[in-house]
Amino acid sequence: MINNLVLRRLRYALNLREDSMQALFLLAGHKIKPFSISCLLKKEDEEGYIECTDVVLEKFLDGLIIDKRGVREEQPDTTTVPSTERVRLNNNIILKKIRVALELREEDMLEVMKFADFRVTKAELGGLFRKRGSRNFKPCGDQFMRNFLTGLCLKFRPKG
């Protein structure tokens, strides 16, 4: 999934302004200028577009978690982990971070998917949050992620 698209849709779904997004980045220890945020939110064909890296999206999601849930005291500082040891950000990790930040339970996730008219079973949903290599692990595809983000937009920003 394109990180810029995830950032744009989350911004829209949660009704975040650029200064709010800057504050979320700061919570995760990432300083970013409002101009850079504007460039990250542009579409690929627009002038001034900047590609959102995995690190930038992860910092935004971590800031969102800290904002919504608070700092987790017993968790070691991930900034000390060398970048070569970090797992590449994928749809499963993005989905899990959004779920944690918004405190979505299984029923909430199913409701979000229903908003997007996308059928998913509890077993399929559970497989998305399993550890890679687990017998029931299921990779989160781009189609699922797009529908999830669409469902979030429809749930949090209803029309009318």
Side-chain angles (χ1 to χ4, degrees):
M1 186 82 186
I2 299 170
N3 292 343
N4 296 68
L5 181 63
V6 173
L7 200 61
R8 268 196 311 272
R9 291 207 179 165
L10 277 175
R11 175 186 185 250
Y12 178 76
L14 302 175
N15 199 19
L16 297 172
R17 294 188 354 234
E18 289 177 18
D19 57 335
S20 303
M21 291 179 74
Q22 185 179 19
L24 292 177
F25 279 112
L26 277 174
L27 286 174
H30 186 74
K31 292 182 182 176
I32 190 167
K33 296 179 181 175
F35 174 75
S36 297
I37 293 173
S38 298
C39 293
L40 289 170
L41 295 172
K42 291 183 180 203
K43 295 183 180 172
E44 290 180 22
D45 56 352
E46 292 180 321
E47 188 176 328
Y49 167 84
I50 296 176
E51 185 176 338
C52 183
T53 64
D54 287 349
V55 173
V56 171
L57 181 59
E58 187 173 24
K59 290 294 184 183
F60 174 76
L61 293 171
D62 289 344
L64 188 62
I65 291 170
I66 292 168
D67 182 56
K68 301 284 185 186
R69 308 264 322 245
V71 178
R72 199 169 157 192
E73 298 299 326
E74 68 276 0
Q75 184 178 8
D77 185 16
T78 57
T79 57
T80 59
V81 178
S83 61
T84 56
E85 293 179 26
R86 288 194 179 158
V87 176
R88 188 175 182 319
L89 197 61
N90 61 40
N91 289 347
N92 292 70
I93 295 170
I94 294 169
L95 189 66
K96 186 173 186 177
K97 286 182 177 278
I98 294 171
R99 179 184 184 182
V100 169
L102 301 179
E103 300 182 54
L104 299 173
R105 296 186 333 258
E106 188 175 79
E107 298 81 25
D108 301 323
M109 298 282 291
L110 292 171
E111 179 187 13
V112 166
M113 296 310 287
K114 208 180 267 188
F115 273 106
D117 290 328
F118 191 82
R119 290 184 177 266
V120 63
T121 65
K122 286 185 180 185
E124 289 172 320
L125 188 62
L128 297 171
F129 298 105
R130 301 252 184 240
K131 193 173 188 175
R132 184 176 292 279
S134 169
R135 186 174 64 119
N136 295 324
F137 172 79
K138 181 178 189 229
C140 180
D142 288 349
Q143 180 183 13
F144 185 94
M145 181 60 77
R146 271 192 300 277
N147 281 296
F148 177 72
L149 292 169
T150 299
L152 278 180
C153 291
L154 293 171
K155 178 180 171 108
F156 291 112
R157 304 254 333 228
K159 294 177 182 172

